[in-house]
Structure formats: C-alpha cells, structure tokens
Amino acid sequence: KIIFMMGGPGSGKGTQCEKLAEKYGFTHLSTGELLRHELASESERSKLIRDIMERGDLVPSGIVLELLREAMVASLRDTQGFLIDGYPREVKQGEEFGRRIGDPHLVICMDCSADTMTNRLLQRSQSSPRADDATKTIAKRLETYYRASIPVIAYYETKTQLRKINAEGTPEEVFLRLCAAIDSIF
Ligand code: AMP
C-alpha cells in the first residue's frame, strides 16, 4: 500500500503521519525529513540542496525521488505500507513516481486554512532549530504549497482514491477523521 499525505506546512501532516504509522504499521516517510537528514550528512547531494531549502524552494525532483526510493527499499521487508508525506509537490513528481514505482492507492489531502497553518508554524519556530521556520519563509512556503498543490490534487482526482480531510481542530479530532478515511478504503 502506498498512501500520499498532502497538506501545507503546518497542516499537521507530520504529527498525524506518526500516529497513523503507529496504528497501522505503516512506514512514515517525509521527504522534508529525508532531505534534512541528507543535509546533515554533508554529502555531495547536500551541497546541491542547502541553498534551495533555505530559500523554501523545491529541491530537484530527481534527488527527492532517489532519496524516497532508497528509503522505501530499505524498509520494504517489514512494513504494512508506506505513508509518504510532503510528496509529490508537483505533477511532474507524481508522474515520475508513477513511472518508477507505481501510482499510490490513496491520496489524502489535509484541508487547513492559511491562518491556522501560519499560527502553527509560528509556534513551531519558537521552539525549533529549523532555519526555514523564520517568519518571512513561512509566507513563501505557503504560497509555494498552494501554487503547487492544486494541479497535483487535480491530477489524482481521476487516477486514484482521493480523500479531503478537514485538518482544523485538535490533533485527536483530525486523527479520527483520518482513520475513518483509511478504514473505508483498506
Ligand atoms: P517540509 O518538511 O515538507 O516542509 O519540507 C521542507 C523543505 O524540503 C521544503 O521547503 C523543500 O525545500 C524541501 N522538500 C520537501 N519535500 C519536497 C519535495 N517533494 N520536492 C521538492 N522539495 C521538497
């Protein structure tokens, strides 16, 4: 099983993916986390992506897919499925994934207002070492997300199961909505 978890920065997708992974035995893969891990490794690839990530721009899709594929292969043996968060950010990434790995069985879209996402990100930036949580980067990331996500959602609308989940409210409320959607499909 492959599930894509779409949602803007601050929509709560990271938190929810952790909880869903635990409940269903899924492997949670976040392309943002994989990229941050790669940055910390000081590899050749990390030099290519550092400036891009600090600006809040998208990392080249070939690098992201390579990291994702490596991580999927590494946990293929002992998993109930993959819960992939932060990917695809562009239709091109979705097409590439479909060709190399296959289309996802479910795409979840976390619906959340820009105000809620901004407030959550500002709270996170007070307690987090993530350089990209700075206020001016938040607006850029939200804008990048909105611009990119609309065509991606349209792309999957006819291709696979797509579920839009109300991501406002407490983490517990959102979690219950997500479980209901997953249980209705698998
Ligand atoms: P996130 O943790 O999902 O907010 O991602 C943090 C940063 O990592 C983004 O601002 C991008 O620079 C980069 N990133 C994460 N996922 C992708 C992706 N699928 N394609 C390109 N860049 C990505």
Side-chain angles (χ1 to χ4, degrees), residues 7-10 13 30-36 39 49-65 68 84-90 93 121 124 130 132-133 137 140-141 144:
K13 63 185 157 56
S30 148
T31 52
E33 283 297 324
L34 291 172
L35 285 163
R36 280 187 287 282
L39 271 190
I49 61 185
R50 185 174 312 276
D51 291 350
I52 298 173
M53 286 185 70
E54 274 170 11
R55 287 198 305 267
D57 284 334
L58 291 180
V59 172
S61 61
I63 296 178
V64 182
L65 185 57
L68 196 50
I84 299 174
D85 135 28
Y87 187 95
R89 296 281 232 274
E90 311 170 290
Q93 291 186 352
L121 288 170
R124 177 157 89 192
R130 280 182 58 173
D132 66 354
D133 275 346
T137 313
K140 173 74 184 286
R141 285 167 69 207
T144 306

Side-chain angles (χ1 to χ4, degrees), residues 47-109:
K47 291 176 195 142
L48 292 170
I49 61 185
R50 185 174 312 276
D51 291 350
I52 298 173
M53 286 185 70
E54 274 170 11
R55 287 198 305 267
D57 284 334
L58 291 180
V59 172
S61 61
I63 296 178
V64 182
L65 185 57
E66 204 177 316
L67 286 173
L68 196 50
R69 229 182 62 86
E70 286 168 9
M72 288 177 81
V73 168
S75 52
L76 203 53
R77 277 174 188 282
D78 40 25
T79 189
Q80 299 299 311
F82 295 98
L83 193 53
I84 299 174
D85 135 28
Y87 187 95
R89 296 281 232 274
E90 311 170 290
V91 172
K92 193 177 106 181
Q93 291 186 352
E95 290 170 344
E96 225 174 293
F97 189 94
R99 273 197 307 274
R100 294 283 305 275
I101 297 167
D103 282 324
H105 305 93
L106 170 63
V107 176
I108 294 173
C109 181

